[in-house]
Amino acid sequence: MWPDRDAVADLLAQLPEQYPLVGVIHAAGVLDDAVITSLTPERIDTVLRAKVDAAWNLHELTRDRDLSAFVLFSSVAGIVGGPGQGNYAAANTFLDALATHRHAIGLPATSLAWGPWEQTSDGQIPTNRSGIATTPPGQALHFFDAALVVDHPTLVAARLDRESSSDMGAELPALFTKLIPRPRRQVDATAGAMRSMLARRLRGLPLADQHTTLTDLVRTHTAAVLTHLSADDIDDQLDFRDMELDSLGSIELRNRLKSATGSDLTPDLVLEHPSPSAVAEYLQSELSAMN
């Protein structure tokens, strides 16, 4: 009912006078992840309705009440983005902007851009893909308490992980590099070392064996992305789409291979080379150029 303005108005009208409303916490959210080219007006509206419409209704319908707190649960996705979360990032950026607007006109407002919590609703621990560590619920509550006494409308409530080395080869978002500096030369040197090491490994092999080695590499990382298949189950000639590798999985596979090879691979890697064998052939041509 939260995006329904009339329903919110009815609920507020039913509050007894002896128990006046003193605070609002908006924690609603809906996910419908997809790459930008797959987003439709309906998929955008599904996500924005829970965040944008609901928060705006609460803002307008409570602005004349004597609130001590108006807290919006935003997401770090609105600050640094997230794979396949263009709609979700936009929705959370609106929450941050609304909090800034309320603060500017003298109304209470705090928008907390949460990083991932340690345990999701289905009991699974989310993978660290962006240099941002998961936050234990107890620490998240401390973040919440601290935010309420800070006179600033927008805050990031997340733990940064300098040592992050996820399977996707995630790097700390550039926005946070001054908080946890990681010299660019060191990153470049690591990528260069990976690239040259793999190139040296291939250099002494016949072309057919080079292709086999790289195909095995692609199959291994494809299996890691799909999770329900092993590397041995993957046909190197089969189209990735026939393996049910979706657009987000394609991005993850590209990131894994970028980390494993040290090569600067384009986001369209899987689209342009639609099978493990085709990707291996492309990698072989890229690495052979170093010899």
Side-chain angles (χ1 to χ4, degrees), residues 159-176:
R159 296 172 60 237
L160 306 185
D161 184 3
R162 178 173 54 184
E163 303 301 327
S164 173
S165 57
S166 74
D167 291 337
M168 284 184 67
E171 297 292 341
L172 193 68
L175 184 65
F176 299 142

Side-chain angles (χ1 to χ4, degrees), residues 102-113:
R102 285 180 58 92
H103 188 266
I105 62 177
L107 296 175
T110 302
S111 183
L112 277 172

Side-chain angles (χ1 to χ4, degrees), residues 33-39 81-86 129-130 166-170 221-222 224-226 240-241 244-260 263-273 279:
D33 292 355
V35 294
I36 292 292
T37 53
S38 298
L39 288 177
Q85 293 193 319
R129 299 170 183 264
S130 61
S166 74
D167 291 337
M168 284 184 67
H221 285 286
T222 301
V225 172
L226 294 174
F240 287 114
R241 290 173 298 182
E244 300 182 357
L245 185 73
D246 60 17
S247 54
L248 295 181
S250 297
I251 294 173
E252 181 176 349
L253 177 58
R254 171 260 187 181
N255 288 345
R256 283 176 171 272
L257 293 173
K258 180 178 179 180
S259 177
S263 298
D264 188 16
L265 306 176
T266 70
D268 294 332
L269 175 70
V270 172
L271 181 64
E272 296 175 351
H273 309 281
V279 171

